[in-house]
Amino acid sequence: MQTFDASEIQVLSPDTIKCSLPKDEVARVKGLGCLWDKRTADHFNVRVITVNGKLTGEQMTAVAQAARQFGSGEVTMTARLTLEIQGVPYENIEPLRAFLAERGLETGGTGAKVRPVVSCKGTTCQYGLIDTFALSEKVHRLFYEGYRQVKLPHKFKIAVGGCPNNCLKPDLNDVGIVGQRLPVVDLEKCRGCKVCQMEKNCPIHVAHLEDGKVVIDPAACNHCGRCVGKCPFHAADQYVNGYKVYLGGRWGKRSAQGQAMDHMFTSEEEVLALVEKAILLFKDQGTAGERFADTIARLGFEQVQALLLGDDLLQRKAEILADA
C-alpha cells in the first residue's frame, strides 16, 4: 500500500469553482467544440477546426482577431492540430461562432464521432513518401465532414504519416496511414561493390551483401525508400509507392499500439475505401463506450482484417448508417 507524508495530503476545498450553467447546456456547447474552463464559472475554450493542422494566413489572422474580440486573447494548439480560443464567456460563444463562420472557419471536434484528421508535413518534408496534405484533406472532407452526423460507439481518430519515421505516431490512432516506398532491385545490375551504396544508405541496416549480391529482407525492411536510386549501377532505380495501415491504436488512460494490416495498399482509392470500411465496421459492430481497439480485440484482428478487405461493409453502408 502506498503511503504519503502528511504534508503531501490535500483536502478538496468546499469553494471549488463549479460551472454556473446547467449540465445539459454544458454538454450541448461541448458538442459544438466549446469546452468548459474549470478555472471559471462560465468561460469556455472554443475549438477551431483545421484541415490536418493547416490554415491560411487570412484564417490565422481571423482566429487571432476572434481571440482578442471574444476571448482572453490567447490561442492554444491541441494534440489533434486544432486551435482553441481561450477564455470565451458563455454569452460570446454564438457571436464567436458566427464571426468564424463568416470567414470560412468552424468549431467542433468533440464527441463520439470521427475526429479531425491529423497529418505530418510529408508533402514538403525531405523524407516524405506521399502527399500527406492532399490525402489527409480528402480524409477530412470524406469522413470528418461527410460523416459529421454519424454517431459512433466512441471517438474515432485518423492520422496520416508521410514515412516510417512515424513522427505523428499514426499507429496510436484508430486508423493510421503511413507512406511506404518499396525498392524493386534488379540483381542483374548489382555488381556486389565492396562498399555497397544501398547498404550504406539503409538507416536500419537491412540491406546487405550476400554471396556478391545485395539482399533486402522484405520482412525486416521498413520501406523508407532511402536506398532507392543510391546504386551507381542503377540496381535500385525502380520502386513502388504504397501505404501501410495500422488499426486499433490509441493513447490516453489506456494506450495501445495499432497493429499493421498484412496487406500493403498501393493506391489512394484503396486506402480511402479502407478508412470508410473501418468506420462502418465500428458503427456496425462496436458497442457503446468502447474504442475501436476494444472492438478489434473482441472480434479478433484476423476477422476484422478480412472484413475490411472485403466488400460487404460498403454494400451494407445504407443499412449500417440507417440509424446514424
Side-chain angles (χ1 to χ4, degrees), residues 77-122:
M77 291 210 71
T78 73
R80 300 296 298 172
L81 301 181
T82 58
L83 300 177
E84 277 189 7
I85 296 174
Q86 302 288 290
V88 178
Y90 171 72
E91 62 270 19
N92 282 358
I93 288 178
E94 288 308 323
L96 167 60
R97 295 182 72 241
F99 176 92
L100 293 172
E102 290 173 0
R103 291 154 179 82
L105 294 166
E106 60 180 347
T107 65
T110 58
K113 298 181 178 182
V114 177
R115 294 295 183 85
V117 63
V118 297
S119 79
C120 72
K121 61 186 190 73

Side-chain angles (χ1 to χ4, degrees), residues 59-80:
Q59 289 172 327
M60 282 284 196
T61 299
V63 171
Q65 183 179 346
R68 291 191 296 267
Q69 187 170 335
F70 300 101
S72 68
E74 295 181 324
V75 180
T76 65
M77 291 210 71
T78 73
R80 300 296 298 172

Side-chain angles (χ1 to χ4, degrees), residues 170-185:
D171 55 342
L172 292 181
N173 285 256
D174 296 286
V175 172
I177 303 163
V178 180
Q180 305 278 281
R181 179 160 294 169
L182 290 69
V184 178
V185 180

Side-chain angles (χ1 to χ4, degrees), residues 53 262 295:
D262 296 333
T295 305

Side-chain angles (χ1 to χ4, degrees), residues 12 16 49 56 75 85 88 103 117 119 150 156 191-193 209-210 221 229 241 260 285 294 297-298 300 305:
L12 185 66
T16 298
I49 300 303
T56 65
V75 180
I85 296 174
V88 178
R103 291 154 179 82
V117 63
S119 79
V150 177
F156 193 90
R191 299 191 182 183
C193 300
L209 288 179
E210 193 172 297
C221 178
N241 273 347
Q285 302 206 31
D294 301 317
R298 180 165 50 79
Q305 183 168 237

